[in-house]
Amino acid sequence: MSSTNNALILLARVLLSFMFIMSGFGKLADPAGTAGMIAGAGLPAETALAYLAGLYELIAGLFLLVGFQTRITAWTVALFCVFTGLVFHTGTVAIEGWPEGALGWINTLNQIMVMKNITLAGGYILLAVIGAGAYSIDARRGAASAIA
C-alpha cells in the first residue's frame, strides 16, 4: 500500500477516534445525562452503564487512534453505533411542558443522530476491513494492516 494511502488511513483513524475519545471523557466526567438516557430507554443500573459506556468509548477511541487491535475495535464500535442509534435515537421524544416547536426540533435532531450512528458504523466497518495501515501499533506488531 502506498504511503499516501497509509497517511489517509491514519487521518481516517484520527477522525473516527475523536468523537469516541471526547464522548468517553464527557461521560466519565459527568455521567448524569447519559444515565438519564439509559433510564429513559428502560435499562437498569443507569449510572453504572453510563460509566461503562464512557470507559468503553474512551478506550475504543484511543485504540483506534493509535491503531491497536484496530479490526476488532472497529467491529465493536460499529455494533455500538448501531445499537445506540436504534435504542436511544429512534422514536418520538415527548417532554412534558416543552413547547411543541422545541419538541419538533429535538425529534429532528434525534433522527439526524440515528442517521449519524448508522453512517459512522459504515466507516468503522470499512476500517475493520482495511485495517490500521502502516502507521499503527498493529503494523509494528506485524498484524495484517490491509486486505491482501
Side-chain angles (χ1 to χ4, degrees):
M1 184 177 300
S2 74
S3 62
T4 300
N5 285 350
N6 280 303
L8 290 172
I9 293 171
L10 172 61
L11 176 61
R13 285 196 347 256
V14 169
L15 295 174
L16 287 168
S17 70
F18 179 75
M19 181 176 62
F20 274 81
I21 293 169
M22 297 305 293
S23 183
F25 270 127
K27 284 178 179 67
L28 292 172
D30 184 10
T34 302
M37 286 185 74
I38 292 169
L43 298 174
E46 58 273 2
T47 302
L49 286 176
Y51 278 117
L52 284 173
L55 186 61
Y56 167 77
E57 288 176 1
L58 178 62
I59 290 171
L62 291 171
F63 275 21
L64 293 172
L65 178 66
V66 299
F68 178 71
Q69 296 293 324
T70 305
R71 292 177 189 270
I72 294 168
T73 303
W75 277 114
T76 68
V77 172
L79 292 172
F80 183 89
C81 285
V82 171
F83 172 80
T84 57
L86 296 176
V87 171
F88 298 109
H89 298 298
T90 56
T92 303
V93 177
I95 303 170
E96 189 176 327
W98 280 46
E100 192 64 34
L103 290 176
W105 183 82
I106 289 172
N107 282 303
T108 299
L109 182 60
N110 219 23
Q111 291 171 354
I112 292 168
M113 295 297 281
V114 77
M115 288 186 289
K116 177 236 357 151
N117 279 32
I118 300 301
T119 302
L120 281 171
Y124 292 116
I125 290 169
L126 184 59
L127 187 59
V129 170
I130 66 170
Y135 309 127
S136 66
I137 291 175
D138 287 347
R140 288 188 163 262
R141 293 175 48 237
S145 61
I147 299 175

